[in-house]
Amino acid sequence: VTALPAERLRVTYQLSCGPGEAPEARARDIAVEQTVELPLQCVPREIAARFVGQIEAIEPLGDGRWHVVIAYDPIVLDDAVPQLVNLLFGNISLKPPVLVTAIDWPPSLLARLGGPRWGIEGVRALVGGEAQRPLLCTALKPLGLSAVELAHLCYRFALGGIDIIKDDHNLANQATAPFRERVERCQEAIAKANRESGGSSRYFPNLGVGSPALAEHIAFVRTAGCRGVLLSPLILGLDAVHWIAATAELAILAHPSLSGVWFRPDHGIVPELLYGEIYRAVGCDGVIYTNVGGRFDFPEAACHAINANLRKPLGLLRPAFPVPGGGVDVQRVRHWIDRYGIDTILLIGGSLYAQGDLTAASRRLLDTVRAHCQERLVKEAGG
Amino acid sequence: VTALPAERLRVTYQLSCGPGEAPEARARDIAVEQTVELPLQCVPREIAARFVGQIEAIEPLGDGRWHVVIAYDPIVLDDAVPQLVNLLFGNISLKPPVLVTAIDWPPSLLARLGGPRWGIEGVRALVGGEAQRPLLCTALKPLGLSAVELAHLCYRFALGGIDIIKDDHNLANQATAPFRERVERCQEAIAKANRESGGSSRYFPNLGVGSPALAEHIAFVRTAGCRGVLLSPLILGLDAVHWIAATAELAILAHPSLSGVWFRPDHGIVPELLYGEIYRAVGCDGVIYTNVGGRFDFPEAACHAINANLRKPLGLLRPAFPVPGGGVDVQRVRHWIDRYGIDTILLIGGSLYAQGDLTAASRRLLDTVRAHCQERLVKEAGG
């Protein structure tokens, strides 16, 4: 009988060393800081051997940059997400710059995290099952409209065929459109639009409260008939996301609010890993990110890397939808379909609002998307 | 009858403008991005007037840096913390660098947030009420010890007179020392030590899980007899902290895990504001930060600013304890008392462990602290 190789959580870091600084010392410091947090002479030998991260690689990248791989025994983790976050970037967030660039996940950890409950296929099925095109998503805004006004927008977008109509992420429980009233009215509006159009649009309300009201809000949106929600993982906490994914049977669309604090070029977790693997592993079915060319500033290579990670094989996790937002409008929608492929949700806000008649604008967009995808299919068949 | 002046949440930012970039445009972009998130031509006029932030000041700081003040109507908020975080740094986290340097809190918002349940006076009372010295805190570590071993450390520290003995922040629910067993054994150990010594040490377990197990863990630690907890606000979520402070009657010691992602020199929220006002406003009774000269790198001016904010008058909020960690040992403890004053909790870990006999080391430290504070009192009386 051969023993199975022990599982390891391998984390890849990039770091810079000044003159006279040894990359080995920096790597050892990370391996200790993220685990036992004591000088090694104060740590019993058998604990140091098992609990301190093992340095597996230190390689120069040029210009004083180094590539470091540290392997952690999953025994340092428990079943919840907070300790995973501690391990990945807790204390080192406060130390000299270090960038987490890759994670090699132990299959048992992925299985425990569980990933998306719905995934790409499941979310498609929720909105009617059309397989050969990207889905379309828009946001109800601005903050300040009443629940009745937001529900009217919801109705008009749904009538035009937008698949997912989500709350803006800053619609919480403000007096102008209280959560419960908004959810009920928007859900009624979308049901009415679907009856009239024969469509399958869905309304995803924003979960903007933490524990314990969160559980009540989840029960409320389910009772109202919603099948998905928007939330901001870094504001509610990644563990809350994990719990919702595992228990609520709601599709989860992740908003990037606050996530920019992580994306320092030399310190943090690279976006394709935070959005593409960590958000996916804890259970997001779709991940909104700030598309290149929009009102935020994200390079196209990062967008492609996020897309690839969300869709790639990762243990037994379902793939999740990339949801580029910003810079997508009727004029450019064909371009983005060609760049990103059909397993994408295109988030389109301002450019629909700017057209005034939301139903007509939405329908025009959907027609363009369908026609372009049809054309691509014909080309592929011919090629 | 004169109308009361409307309450405003005023946020002060610092930002850089490149050549040809107008600070007015950057300020307007922030005011819109953090509220209505739509081009103003798509926003009804009465909503724009009330919901978009009002720019109150734009002043040059030299070198292309600008000081900007934007006032928000509290109507953009609800009763929970997540939307406050969205407003303060949600979407702008993803945009060009901007630093939040000050908040002018509306009294009604502070009242709603509530602040520390115990505060400096309350936490002092929890550990015996000695008023004329800083409190002493240490951490149970390393990860990997069994619950029995951790409880033994707890006993020895308590016997030496350490006031607060907390879990290390990465002690979660690992198989080596499961949460419930650890809490029970450490709490028994501390009770035994207090009986033997006549002391009033307290054990603060780490709350390392999110919703909904968090509520069970809180009930468990209360039943076990603990009066305070450690938690990492940025990992559990600030709203979870607020809920615990408002309902659990447990003193809250905040750990800085993960907070370093916020502290870019030109992008984020300055530490004296995040730790000193936001953590305090949501209910932390003590805030651990990485002291200058320790194994992390924080300038002394920032430490003083954090201390000042935690203790200053802020609405009706109770003051909270600064808890500098790192760089504090028996040799230097007098220095830090002179620098930071007695309304401080000194967090001392490695330098106690390094001495081997934890009880003797703790007692020596406490004796030094008491003697030095007595000396200071005598000097003051003489002066």
Side-chain angles (χ1 to χ4, degrees):
Chain A
V1 180
T2 319
L4 286 171
E7 287 204 320
R8 289 290 179 269
L9 176 72
R10 283 189 180 76
V11 182
T12 303
Y13 308 86
Q14 277 185 22
L15 49 84
S16 293
C17 287
E21 225 185 346
E24 291 75 15
R26 290 283 309 279
R28 207 162 38 239
D29 186 59
I30 294 169
V32 170
E33 187 63 55
Q34 298 303 87
T35 55
V36 296
E37 291 186 62
L38 270 176
L40 285 180
Q41 62 270 25
C42 300
V43 179
R45 195 172 317 174
E46 65 283 7
I47 287 183
R50 185 133 191 222
F51 286 81
V52 174
Q54 302 294 313
I55 300 165
E56 291 195 342
I58 300 182
E59 285 155 24
L61 294 169
D63 284 335
R65 301 281 295 163
W66 296 82
H67 162 103
V68 168
V69 178
I70 301 178
Y72 300 93
D73 190 319
I75 197 171
V76 302
L77 301 175
D78 62 3
D79 280 338
V81 178
Q83 172 56 9
L84 175 64
V85 182
N86 270 330
L87 179 69
L88 290 177
F89 215 69
N91 276 8
I92 56 170
S93 77
L94 290 151
K95 302 198 77 170
V98 58
L99 191 64
V100 176
T101 60
I103 299 173
D104 181 9
W105 302 85
S108 68
L109 177 60
L110 287 178
R112 221 157 63 206
L113 291 170
R117 162 75 180 77
W118 296 89
I120 289 179
E121 232 178 293
V123 172
R124 276 198 191 280
L126 280 181
V127 295
E130 222 176 311
Q132 299 301 337
R133 63 167 175 90
L135 302 182
L136 297 177
C137 178
T138 195
L140 298 177
K141 49 171 109 169
L143 169 65
L145 293 181
S146 69
V148 170
E149 290 166 319
L150 292 166
H152 183 63
L153 297 178
C154 190
Y155 171 75
R156 294 177 62 199
F157 282 126
L159 215 51
I162 300 294
D163 300 289
I164 295 171
I165 299 149
K166 69 168 189 69
D167 282 341
D168 206 9
H169 77 288
N170 62 19
L171 293 177
N173 194 27
Q174 291 94 343
T176 41
F179 178 76
R180 285 163 201 256
E181 187 195 348
R182 186 173 81 242
V183 170
E184 277 181 344
R185 290 195 188 271
C186 288
Q187 186 61 20
E188 275 166 26
I190 214 155
K192 179 166 183 282
N194 285 340
R195 279 195 307 273
E196 292 174 12
S197 69
S200 314
S201 298
R202 297 279 181 187
Y203 163 61
F204 282 24
N206 176 41
L207 292 179
V209 294
S211 220
L214 180 57
E216 291 162 29
H217 281 201
I218 288 168
F220 187 84
V221 303
R222 291 189 53 186
T223 304
C226 301
R227 304 298 297 276
V229 290
L230 178 80
L231 53 74
S232 303
L234 293 188
I235 290 188
L236 285 195
L238 287 164
D239 204 39
V241 181
H242 181 237
W243 165 62
I244 296 168
T247 61
E249 295 192 5
L250 292 164
I252 296 175
L253 192 56
H255 190 279
S257 182
L258 199 60
S259 60
V261 294
W262 293 77
F263 302 146
R264 216 162 132 174
D266 61 349
H267 190 56
I269 298 185
V270 294
E272 60 267 34
L273 189 56
L274 184 67
Y275 292 155
E277 298 190 20
I278 298 175
Y279 277 27
R280 177 179 168 196
V282 300
C284 298
D285 298 285
V287 178
I288 300 172
Y289 65 83
T290 51
N291 193 27
V292 58
R295 65 184 202 276
F296 303 92
D297 189 18
F298 235 36
E300 184 160 340
C303 300
H304 283 293
I306 295 165
N307 297 353
N309 279 353
L310 285 166
R311 298 170 183 147
K312 75 180 177 186
L314 187 63
L316 299 175
L317 302 192
R318 294 186 178 91
F321 265 119
V323 190
V328 186
D329 58 22
V330 177
Q331 276 70 48
R332 310 237 298 157
V333 71
R334 283 174 287 248
H335 168 78
W336 292 116
I337 295 171
D338 292 342
R339 302 295 286 171
Y340 291 163
I342 59 169
D343 279 338
T344 308
I345 298 177
L346 300 170
L347 172 58
I348 303 170
S351 68
L352 291 178
Y353 281 97
Q355 295 177 62
D357 181 340
L358 302 182
T359 301
S362 301
R363 196 166 289 148
R364 210 154 38 228
L365 178 68
L366 179 60
D367 288 346
T368 305
V369 166
R370 280 187 174 141
H372 187 66
C373 291
Q374 186 58 36
E375 213 172 281
R376 283 166 49 102
L377 277 178
V378 171
K379 260 191 212 153
E380 275 170 32
Chain B
V1 180
T2 319
L4 286 170
E7 288 203 318
R8 290 289 178 269
L9 176 72
R10 282 188 181 78
V11 182
T12 302
Y13 307 87
Q14 277 185 21
L15 49 84
S16 293
C17 286
E21 227 184 345
E24 292 75 15
R26 289 284 309 280
R28 209 162 36 239
D29 186 60
I30 293 169
V32 169
E33 187 63 54
Q34 298 303 86
T35 55
V36 295
E37 290 188 62
L38 270 177
L40 285 181
Q41 62 272 26
C42 300
V43 179
R45 197 172 316 174
E46 66 284 6
I47 287 182
R50 184 133 191 222
F51 285 81
V52 174
Q54 302 293 315
I55 300 165
E56 291 194 344
I58 300 182
E59 285 155 25
L61 295 169
D63 284 336
R65 300 281 297 162
W66 295 83
H67 163 102
V68 168
V69 178
I70 301 179
Y72 300 93
D73 190 319
I75 197 172
V76 302
L77 301 174
D78 61 3
D79 280 338
V81 178
Q83 173 56 10
L84 174 64
V85 182
N86 271 328
L87 179 69
L88 289 177
F89 216 68
N91 275 7
I92 56 171
S93 76
L94 290 151
K95 302 198 77 169
V98 58
L99 193 62
V100 176
T101 59
I103 298 173
D104 181 10
W105 301 84
S108 68
L109 177 60
L110 286 178
R112 221 156 64 206
L113 291 170
R117 162 76 181 77
W118 296 88
I120 288 179
E121 230 179 294
V123 172
R124 274 199 193 281
L126 280 181
V127 295
E130 222 176 309
Q132 298 301 338
R133 64 166 176 90
L135 302 182
L136 297 176
C137 178
T138 195
L140 299 176
K141 50 169 110 172
L143 169 66
L145 292 181
S146 69
V148 170
E149 291 166 319
L150 292 166
H152 184 63
L153 297 178
C154 190
Y155 171 76
R156 292 178 61 199
F157 282 125
L159 215 52
I162 300 294
D163 300 289
I164 295 172
I165 298 149
K166 68 168 190 69
D167 281 342
D168 206 9
H169 77 287
N170 63 18
L171 292 176
N173 193 27
Q174 291 95 341
T176 40
F179 177 77
R180 286 162 199 258
E181 186 194 349
R182 186 173 80 243
V183 170
E184 278 181 342
R185 288 193 188 273
C186 289
Q187 186 59 22
E188 276 167 26
I190 213 153
K192 180 167 184 281
N194 285 339
R195 279 195 306 274
E196 293 174 12
S197 69
S200 315
S201 298
R202 297 279 181 185
Y203 163 60
F204 282 23
N206 176 40
L207 292 180
V209 294
S211 219
L214 180 57
E216 292 163 28
H217 281 200
I218 288 168
F220 188 84
V221 303
R222 291 190 53 188
T223 304
C226 302
R227 304 297 297 275
V229 290
L230 178 80
L231 52 74
S232 303
L234 293 187
I235 290 187
L236 285 196
L238 287 164
D239 204 40
V241 181
H242 180 238
W243 165 61
I244 296 168
T247 61
E249 295 191 7
L250 292 165
I252 296 175
L253 193 56
H255 190 279
S257 182
L258 199 60
S259 60
V261 293
W262 293 78
F263 302 147
R264 217 162 132 173
D266 61 350
H267 191 55
I269 299 186
V270 295
E272 59 267 34
L273 189 56
L274 184 68
Y275 292 156
E277 298 190 20
I278 298 174
Y279 278 26
R280 177 178 168 196
V282 301
C284 298
D285 298 285
V287 177
I288 300 173
Y289 65 82
T290 51
N291 194 26
V292 57
R295 66 186 202 276
F296 303 90
D297 188 19
F298 236 34
E300 184 160 341
C303 300
H304 283 292
I306 295 166
N307 296 353
N309 280 352
L310 284 166
R311 298 170 183 147
K312 75 179 177 186
L314 188 62
L316 299 174
L317 303 191
R318 294 185 178 90
F321 265 120
V323 190
V328 187
D329 58 23
V330 178
Q331 276 69 47
R332 310 238 295 159
V333 72
R334 284 174 285 248
H335 169 78
W336 291 116
I337 295 173
D338 293 342
R339 302 296 285 168
Y340 291 162
I342 60 169
D343 279 337
T344 308
I345 298 176
L346 300 169
L347 172 58
I348 303 170
S351 68
L352 291 178
Y353 281 97
Q355 295 177 63
D357 182 339
L358 301 183
T359 301
S362 302
R363 195 166 289 148
R364 208 152 42 226
L365 178 68
L366 179 60
D367 289 346
T368 305
V369 167
R370 280 187 174 141
H372 187 65
C373 292
Q374 186 57 36
E375 214 172 281
R376 281 167 48 102
L377 277 179
V378 171
K379 262 193 212 152
E380 274 169 35

